[in-house]
């Protein structure tokens, strides 16, 4: 059974959703999937993404997405998140 995941796009990434005049993409997901696969499926370069939040929490690019999750993608040029640029490397060091 497929469950929808919501992918919210911000900043320059919103150009991806313009084909439907929406900035939220809904797609079905049958089982867990790597976050990077979902981003690549949207034809978004991983280098364009500065911050990813899943269910309102910042996550690493190597995270797993589950059916029903809410994903928010923020581009590198988003100034409000400039201090998050090293989030992935700092957080990984703490959890290792």
């Amino acid at each position: 059974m497929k469950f929808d995941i919501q992918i919210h796009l911000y900043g320059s990434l919103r150009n991806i959703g313009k084909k439907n005049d929406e900035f939220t993409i809904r797609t079905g997901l049958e089982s867990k999937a790597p976050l990077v696969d979902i981003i690549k499926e949207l034809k978004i370069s991983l280098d364009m993404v500065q911050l990813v939040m899943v269910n309102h929490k910042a996550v690493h690019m190597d995270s797993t997405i589950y059916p029903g999750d809410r994903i928010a993608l923020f581009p590198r040029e988003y100034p409000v998140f400039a201090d998050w640029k090293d989030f992935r490397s700092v957080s990984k060091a703490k959890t290792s």
Side-chain angles (χ1 to χ4, degrees):
M1 179 176 202
K2 282 190 176 185
F3 291 91
D4 277 352
I5 58 170
Q6 295 179 26
I7 306 165
H8 298 268
L9 305 172
Y10 295 91
S12 61
L13 298 177
R14 286 187 164 190
N15 295 331
I16 305 291
K18 281 194 176 176
K19 59 187 168 199
N20 299 322
D21 289 330
E22 292 186 16
F23 303 125
T24 300
I25 297 170
R26 288 176 177 76
T27 186
L29 188 66
E30 286 187 30
S31 61
K32 65 183 182 178
L35 172 62
V36 293
D37 289 356
I38 292 170
I39 294 173
K40 287 178 183 176
E41 196 173 302
L42 295 172
K43 301 198 180 349
I44 296 174
S45 168
L46 297 178
D47 292 339
M48 292 177 62
V49 179
Q50 175 171 260
L51 176 66
V52 178
M53 298 184 86
V54 175
N55 301 325
H56 307 283
K57 294 180 182 176
V59 298
H60 305 286
M61 280 292 204
D62 62 353
S63 294
T64 301
I65 302 303
Y66 294 89
D69 280 350
R70 179 192 186 277
I71 304 167
L73 301 177
F74 296 90
R76 292 216 174 266
E77 80 273 358
Y78 235 61
V80 104
F81 295 110
D83 60 334
W84 287 77
K85 67 180 177 175
D86 295 322
F87 171 77
R88 290 185 291 266
S89 60
V90 171
S91 294
K92 278 192 175 218
K94 288 180 181 178
T95 59
S96 297

